[in-house]
Amino acid sequence: MVRSSKASYASAASGQRASVGAGEAAEMAAVAPALAGEAAPLKLEKFLPYQLNVVASLVSLALSRVYARRYGIGVPEWRVLVTLGQYGVMTGKAIGAHTHMHKTKVSRAVALMEERKLLVRRANRADKRESFLSLTAAGRTMYEEVAPHALDFTKRLTEILTPADREAFDRALKQLTARSAELVAEVASQTDDMEEL
């Protein structure tokens, strides 16, 4: 039905171009993409992975103003800082797993933080390839200073939700996170199977 409507519209538009003014022709040209968009099988703005990505990007951008301007650190350093502030001592590999960051990003963030004397490395005698990382006194101070600002940001972000909506959102987020991890594992398994063939 939509297809025939578009076809008849396009036919009528081309037949009328000679008889309509420039303004009307431009108006018809602007409407045609909108008609095509309505019939599209996949709409980006209604695609859940895209919606989640937009929310994550906007939240990350807004939150970064809490720590980037005040402390001059980026997202990877922020994640390392908060993770070490929470757990005390971890390896780079463990931080990568906890923060879902690639090992290269973790390594760069750790190097930057070490340069700024925000964390220290301690050799792992059991595995010479790894080091134990922990915050210095300066790093711990930064963590404790930024924590209230980050928590206030979360409060301001979620104050538009009712308590019931917040609980439902938290539940849905946990379920989507778990399901996403399952899908990642499925894809990895399929890739491994293909490599064996």
Side-chain angles (χ1 to χ4, degrees):
M1 186 69 181
V2 176
R3 193 173 289 173
S4 62
S5 298
K6 283 195 292 180
S8 60
Y9 179 85
S11 172
S14 61
Q16 290 175 4
R17 272 192 193 120
S19 61
V20 297
E24 289 176 0
E27 190 178 322
M28 286 196 285
V31 171
L35 285 172
E38 285 171 19
L42 178 63
K43 298 175 179 68
L44 190 61
E45 66 279 5
K46 292 184 179 177
F47 184 53
L48 181 60
Y50 172 76
Q51 291 172 321
L52 292 172
N53 191 53
V54 169
V55 170
S57 295
L58 290 171
V59 169
S60 186
L61 181 62
L63 177 60
S64 71
R65 294 181 180 173
V66 171
Y67 53 80
R69 286 180 183 174
R70 191 180 297 255
Y71 300 106
I73 60 174
V75 175
E77 294 78 40
W78 155 259
R79 290 181 183 175
V80 171
L81 178 80
V82 174
T83 302
L84 288 177
Q86 181 180 356
Y87 293 104
V89 179
M90 288 181 93
T91 63
K93 187 176 180 181
I95 291 172
H98 180 71
T99 60
H100 298 278
M101 282 198 299
H102 190 272
K103 61 182 179 181
T104 307
K105 275 194 176 181
V106 174
S107 180
R108 284 180 189 152
V110 166
L112 273 168
M113 291 177 72
E114 188 176 27
E115 192 178 312
R116 288 185 58 183
K117 310 263 190 274
L118 296 172
L119 63 73
V120 289
R121 297 173 194 256
R122 197 174 77 250
N124 180 358
R125 291 178 186 173
D127 187 346
K128 300 293 183 187
R129 296 167 299 175
E130 278 190 331
S131 299
F132 291 116
L133 308 169
S134 58
L135 295 177
T136 60
R140 172 60 59 179
T141 299
M142 184 185 287
Y143 169 74
E144 288 173 359
E145 282 179 6
V146 80
H149 297 293
L151 293 171
D152 180 61
F153 174 85
T154 301
K155 185 180 174 184
R156 288 170 54 215
L157 176 67
T158 59
E159 66 189 0
I160 57 166
L161 301 174
T162 65
D165 283 346
R166 178 64 197 269
E167 284 178 22
F169 176 75
D170 287 345
R171 229 177 8 257
L173 202 55
K174 283 176 187 170
Q175 290 170 335
L176 286 170
T177 302
R179 183 61 180 145
S180 297
E182 288 171 5
L183 292 173
V184 168
E186 277 180 30
V187 171
S189 174
Q190 288 167 3
T191 304
D192 291 344
D193 291 344
M194 288 298 290
E195 286 173 358
E196 287 175 9
L197 294 177

